Amino acid sequence: MATKSVVAEVREITLAIELIELGARLQLLEAETSLSRDRLIKLYKELKGASPPKGMLPFSTDWFMTWQPNIHSSLFHAIYRFVDTHGGVKSTIQTIVKSYRLYLEHLEMHGDEPVLSLTRAWTLVRYFESGMLQTNACTRCGGRFVAHAYELRAGYVCGLCQPPSRAGKTRKAIASSGAAERAPGIAA
């Protein structure tokens, strides 16, 4: 019997380490592992060299509706649905971890920065499970995008097919386009 409890504890610690390395907040760790808060804080400090960030977890579905977060959330949710259906993963948290790693790999392949943190991805899945969010199909591209549950969206057009007027005008994008314009002899 003692061997099973040691094995279970090792699994919990391994999961906590994996979650911390992916940027999980303390509340997520407490919800998904059976380790004590003190133990999780010590583990976090050991891995990150600092105390875990303080503050509340995201609690509103509205963040997922804004342009860029909606695109990233929709991408992650599509990956999550695929892994959940075909990935052979037993637990929800392992499905989230596997999906989040695939999300990060996809962004790295395309040279994009992640918008969705692991904690936000975990929260997104919980919102879907509780029925607060659903997906709507874009009438132009057919893609499925995160939306508020029970929202009537006849003729829905996604943020990729019809981006807002200031889409992509981040400080980073403006700075990099300004550097390209100033560099002589570089074709755009």
Side-chain angles (χ1 to χ4, degrees):
M1 248 352 192
T3 316
K4 285 185 180 181
S5 65
V6 170
V7 170
E9 187 171 354
V10 168
R11 280 193 191 124
E12 292 285 307
I13 292 169
T14 303
L15 174 61
I17 290 169
E18 188 173 24
L19 294 172
I20 291 167
E21 287 173 345
L22 288 171
R25 299 272 303 269
L26 188 58
Q27 296 93 325
L28 189 161
L29 297 169
E30 288 178 304
E32 295 297 337
T33 69
S34 61
L35 301 174
S36 72
R37 182 178 180 84
D38 290 339
R39 190 148 192 200
L40 289 169
I41 290 170
K42 287 177 186 173
L43 193 57
Y44 195 98
K45 286 179 180 179
E46 187 177 327
L47 291 168
K48 294 287 191 176
S51 295
K54 300 197 182 339
M56 294 173 38
L57 287 180
F59 59 88
S60 172
T61 57
D62 293 339
W63 182 86
F64 298 102
M65 300 306 126
T66 59
W67 180 70
Q68 194 174 33
N70 186 265
I71 292 166
H72 283 254
S73 299
S74 300
L75 171 64
F76 171 79
H77 190 258
I79 295 168
Y80 175 82
R81 283 192 336 260
F82 182 84
V83 170
D84 190 39
T85 305
H86 305 291
V89 183
K90 293 178 179 133
S91 70
T92 301
I93 191 61
Q94 288 298 339
T95 305
I96 291 170
V97 167
K98 191 172 190 177
S99 303
Y100 191 72
R101 288 188 186 283
L102 288 170
Y103 163 76
L104 293 176
E105 285 177 27
H106 176 80
L107 294 178
E108 186 178 326
M109 234 171 46
H110 295 282
D112 292 329
E113 294 291 318
V115 170
L116 197 65
S117 68
L118 177 65
T119 302
R120 291 250 188 218
W122 176 75
T123 304
L124 177 74
V125 170
R126 291 174 58 120
Y127 285 160
F128 269 92
E129 288 174 348
S130 68
M132 295 171 70
L133 293 175
Q134 66 180 26
T135 57
N136 283 341
C138 176
T139 55
R140 290 189 189 167
C141 68
R144 300 207 58 86
F145 291 85
V146 173
H148 287 113
Y150 310 112
E151 193 172 276
L152 298 176
R153 297 286 249 173
Y156 173 75
V157 178
C158 72
L160 290 173
C161 292
Q162 188 174 343
S165 59
R166 296 205 39 86
K169 296 192 174 142
T170 62
R171 289 183 189 150
K172 183 179 174 184
I174 292 168
S176 66
S177 69
E181 289 172 6
R182 289 189 300 272
I186 298 176

